Amino acid sequence: MATFAKKTFDAARYAAARPTYPTQLYDFIFGFHARDPRAKWDTALDLGCGTGQATLELVPRFAHVIGSDPSSRMIAQATKSLDSDSHLKARVRFVQSAAEELGWLEDGSVDIIVSAQAAHWFDWTKLWPEAVRVLRPGGSLAVWGYSQFRLTHHPSCTPLIHAYSQGTHALGPYWERPGRTILDEHLLAIPSPSGEAWGEFQREYFTGDHYPSLPASRPVLLKTRTTWAGVLGYLRTFSALHNFHEAHPEDLQRPEGDIAERFWRELRERVAQDKGAEAEGEEDEVEIEWPMALLLARRA
């Protein structure tokens, strides 16, 4: 997570190119929350909120929404999203804070805690007790994360994607660990909550047939259609790429493009081989999907 706090990290580019979460995901989470008759819809807290993408999705359901993140750059970018909307400003606030340090919140003051693509960085030995403290009885916690992207209609490209993202001669050594490993292993390393303070707890997997060893996997939810130019924009948001360029600044000067652009071209060529056609242009469309894991818990 330290990469996102660096002055050289482009939070605006990150916000523009990352995938957005589908309505079906929020409906699933809100359905879990609503099952408890004690559930309230007053205050929601988004931990590791980044640029505030998931935070704002909570506004239609909750009267007050708080996003917190340890990175001042992410908080600054998130706050910009409120500048032109006085209605949002009245209901949403962003706070620079670590997820495990919620002393600025009163006991039993939060109805739901969520976290999108950040739970793999948290210290859960500290977070579970803090979540119990700030949640009202019957309150919920929902955290989710997606792993390595796939081309929906081109499974033959998966080994190439894996070699780029995880290979020792590509970006593999430049991810921050163990966070990335926890994410790619679908949050299995996050311990289940213990003690009488917690009621329900469940793990859900929206991974389709990508990971047959995971139990009771549901169809993939997180998908998008984008242009090949959009794919390159997404590749440039990888924190591992940022770290790679810090270690190898000369890569940015290569006449054939940096490591992300070289991979992007190779990926386009592989898709062309699949189709038996020439490589597609930058504005041609392609469908991407991300296997995703979701953890749900309820305060007793």
Side-chain angles (χ1 to χ4, degrees), residues 151-175:
L151 299 188
T152 304
H153 303 296
H154 301 281
S156 66
C157 293
T158 298
L160 177 62
I161 295 169
H162 187 75
Y164 171 72
S165 183
Q166 304 296 337
T168 56
H169 297 294
L171 298 188
Y174 298 93
W175 293 106

Side-chain angles (χ1 to χ4, degrees), residues 58-78:
L58 303 173
V59 172
R61 294 295 192 107
F62 292 88
H64 306 284
V65 180
I66 307 166
S68 73
D69 197 280
S71 167
S72 60
R73 296 180 69 79
M74 289 295 191
I75 291 297
Q77 185 65 35

Side-chain angles (χ1 to χ4, degrees), residues 115-148:
S115 181
Q117 199 69 357
H120 51 294
W121 297 116
F122 302 159
D123 180 348
W124 285 87
T125 62
K126 297 178 180 178
L127 184 52
W128 282 125
E130 267 297 76
V132 162
R133 183 184 67 78
V134 302
L135 279 174
R136 293 189 177 100
S140 305
L141 177 143
V143 304
W144 64 94
Y146 55 85
S147 56
Q148 179 177 281

Side-chain angles (χ1 to χ4, degrees), residues 8-81:
T8 51
F9 190 82
D10 192 332
R13 172 185 280 180
Y14 181 91
R18 300 302 280 188
T20 56
Y21 305 110
T23 300
Q24 299 97 307
L25 173 64
Y26 293 105
D27 288 345
F28 195 95
I29 293 167
F30 297 150
F32 175 83
H33 182 66
R35 285 208 305 265
D36 193 298
R38 300 169 297 171
K40 298 183 183 298
W41 301 85
D42 183 67
T43 301
L45 171 65
D46 180 12
L47 298 178
C49 67
T51 58
Q53 180 193 118
T55 316
L56 298 184
E57 293 292 341
L58 303 173
V59 172
R61 294 295 192 107
F62 292 88
H64 306 284
V65 180
I66 307 166
S68 73
D69 197 280
S71 167
S72 60
R73 296 180 69 79
M74 289 295 191
I75 291 297
Q77 185 65 35
T79 302
K80 283 183 181 180
S81 66

Side-chain angles (χ1 to χ4, degrees), residues 19 37 52 64 138 147 167 189 220 223 230 249 253 278 288:
H64 306 284
S147 56
V220 173
K223 297 182 179 184
Q253 307 304 319
E278 294 184 359
I288 304 178

